[in-house]
Amino acid sequence: MAIVTVLFCVITLIVTPHQTADARMYEDCVQQREDYPLPPLPYSYNSLEPHMDATTVQIHHLKHHAAYTKKMNAALKQWRDEDPENTLATGSIVEILQHLYNVPEKYRTVLRNNGGGYVNHAIYFACMSSRGAAISQDLENDIIKDFGSYNNFTKQFTTKAMGLFGSGYVWLSRGGNDKLVISTTANQDSPVTESFRPILVIDIWEHAYYLKYQYRRADFVAAWWKLVDWKAVVDLDKWWRVNYRYG
Amino acid sequence: MLCARIGMLKRFVPQQKAALGFTASRLAHSLPDLPYDFNALEPVIGAEIMEIHYKKHHATYVNNLNIAEEKMEKALAEGDTNAAISLLPALNFNGGGHINHSIFWTNLSPNGGGEPTGDLKESINRDFGGFESMKKELISKTVAIQGSGWGWLGYNPHTQRLRLAVRPNQDSLFPTLGLIPLLGIDVWEHAYYLQYKNDRGAYVNAIWNIINWDNVADRYANARMQN
């Protein structure tokens, strides 16, 4: 009996990793985790060439995204150790970002910056690939409904990306009544805090493009559009419908 | 050479704007001369960074500041308050950017490094308990800035004390915190990324080897004369 139990435990440990090869980078965000692992990229570091250079992708993931993940985990641990009964503390990082203003002041800034950084980068990397998948009819219809035309949408998004000052992101998200909205956030702020469900994002922090593009942000934004994986965006849109808890 | 504002050279803008019914009596901002060659601050800050930082980033702040000021003049002349208000962010970004970078270039020198002497040294001892203590705190605060911004050693003319502060983005120190800027450390990623990548700490530690303490001391002397 003991051997069967041990075997069962060993098999369970082997077959339930945090991330399977097919799990998308953002899926852990809505899970309660004691320690969030840095999600692996769904592609190799050089696969976004020539639009995005391998060195940038690697440093962006292994240094920047990893640092946010580590600091978020440390803050979560500290908060949870201090207040083990706190239900928000034991929630997922998305829940915590949704209810950021209920996080005790002591942990709010560190979780805003590092929890935000963890989630924001997961979505950023997940929505890009070298395959340039075409947009689905449903999503394109919604874009036409909310922006007039696909070109209007890309033009507005690009204008926001060019006009953003300092560090931050430009987002396409679902808002109230599932309306598609373009918004910006500063630093590592998340649209989840404003109850948006983000489905596409461009990282405008200089570290996202400086090694290859330097001050030429316009060239970076143009290159990024070529990397947008609309299939991934549609997947994320559908995923929120299942995984987003209102209120 | 320091004047009450900062070393901004101004050119007179020709009066071709008369078509709009007002005279362009405002002087345009321009890039101050860099006191050294692009490669002078090697190995602390490489030539490639210096050239792009000065010729592209600082130059863009100058150009966009001029554009924003022209638009502001027009809005004010036409009594369009909403237009004037909507120009404030651009004035803030680009005006702050121009001011901050103009100070920054003078704060650095290929012959820099070491420690301050004289009055500045004594005031640092008084207000921070010593140079190392001030350095440690300024490094710590500056590295910790979220996103883009600047770390500052400044002077409070009302309390007559030196203070450390950080500012986000290009927010200008004096109008926002009432401190006269003496020494600034730019931690926008464009200031260090090509060389240091994500290692902001290495850059902020290394920059102390090129601080022009004579310039900081001059600024301090000037600051104390103002009130």
Side-chain angles (χ1 to χ4, degrees), chain A residues 55 59-60 63-64 68 109 113-114 163 165-167 187-188 205-208 210-212 214-215, chain B residues 48-49 52-53 56-57 61 93-94 146-148 169-170 188-191 193-195 197-198 200:
Chain A
T55 306
I59 295 177
H60 204 171
K63 302 287 184 186
H64 294 277
Y68 289 122
T109 300
N113 292 327
N114 295 288
F165 197 75
S167 306
N187 297 340
Q188 294 298 346
W205 282 63
E206 286 174 328
H207 64 240
Y210 212 82
L211 294 181
K212 183 178 170 76
Q214 293 89 56
Y215 60 93
Chain B
E48 193 188 4
I49 289 182
I52 296 173
H53 204 173
K56 299 296 178 188
H57 292 278
Y61 292 125
F93 307 152
N94 296 293
Q146 289 298 316
S148 309
N169 296 335
Q170 295 296 352
W188 278 65
E189 285 168 332
H190 65 238
Y193 208 82
L194 290 178
Q195 191 172 337
K197 313 295 191 294
N198 62 300
R200 185 190 274 181

Side-chain angles (χ1 to χ4, degrees), chain A residues 36-241:
Chain A
Y36 287 90
L38 176 69
L41 294 190
Y43 38 75
S44 60
Y45 290 120
N46 64 1
S47 72
L48 304 181
E49 296 263 11
H51 308 297
M52 204 174 277
D53 58 298
T55 306
T56 292
V57 181
Q58 185 166 2
I59 295 177
H60 204 171
H61 184 236
L62 290 183
K63 302 287 184 186
H64 294 277
H65 192 184
Y68 289 122
T69 307
K70 190 171 169 194
K71 287 180 189 165
M72 169 189 66
N73 284 332
L76 285 173
K77 181 175 190 331
Q78 205 185 337
W79 183 18
R80 289 162 177 173
D81 284 350
E82 188 181 287
D83 194 0
E85 306 303 310
N86 187 311
T87 47
L88 184 60
T90 53
S92 74
I93 188 61
V94 160
E95 278 165 0
I96 291 169
L97 290 174
Q98 254 183 276
H99 304 288
L100 191 58
Y101 300 102
N102 291 340
V103 176
E105 227 179 291
K106 185 175 177 187
Y107 298 108
R108 198 179 305 150
T109 300
V110 64
L111 284 172
R112 174 183 185 169
N113 292 327
N114 295 288
Y118 166 73
V119 175
N120 296 343
H121 285 93
I123 297 174
Y124 174 64
F125 289 123
C127 291
M128 291 189 289
S129 84
S130 56
R131 67 184 162 180
I135 194 170
S136 83
Q137 198 60 62
D138 283 341
L139 185 58
E140 190 164 15
N141 288 343
D142 285 351
I143 284 178
I144 291 167
K145 178 164 68 71
D146 292 325
F147 297 102
S149 71
Y150 179 78
N151 282 345
N152 275 358
F153 156 67
T154 59
K155 204 166 149 214
Q156 278 184 42
F157 194 97
T158 298
T159 300
K160 279 263 175 342
M162 289 308 298
L164 194 148
F165 197 75
S167 306
Y169 294 85
V170 185
W171 302 88
L172 176 66
S173 307
R174 293 273 183 194
N177 291 327
D178 273 353
K179 186 163 192 265
L180 285 172
V181 177
I182 296 173
S183 68
T184 63
T185 56
N187 297 340
Q188 294 298 346
D189 288 356
S190 169
V192 157
T193 305
E194 307 305 318
S195 300
F196 286 121
R197 283 84 67 206
I199 63 173
L200 175 64
V201 64
I202 184 172
D203 187 344
I204 298 292
W205 282 63
E206 286 174 328
H207 64 240
Y209 61 91
Y210 212 82
L211 294 181
K212 183 178 170 76
Y213 294 98
Q214 293 89 56
Y215 60 93
R216 295 180 299 270
R217 191 193 284 186
D219 291 349
F220 165 65
V221 176
W224 172 82
W225 277 116
K226 297 184 179 138
L227 292 172
V228 169
D229 183 337
W230 285 108
K231 183 181 181 307
V233 175
V234 167
D235 281 351
L236 178 50
D237 193 15
K238 290 182 183 155
W239 180 85
W240 278 121
R241 291 172 205 283

Side-chain angles (χ1 to χ4, degrees), chain B residues 97-137:
Chain B
H98 181 31
I99 288 170
N100 295 339
H101 287 86
S102 299
I103 295 171
F104 188 51
W105 309 133
T106 69
N107 283 161
L108 307 175
S109 162
N111 306 314
E115 297 189 12
T117 56
D119 285 347
L120 180 56
K121 175 183 172 168
E122 278 173 33
S123 297
I124 287 174
N125 288 345
R126 178 198 65 205
D127 294 335
F128 301 104
F131 175 72
E132 284 303 323
S133 175
M134 183 276 287
K135 177 180 171 181
K136 192 172 163 203
E137 200 187 330

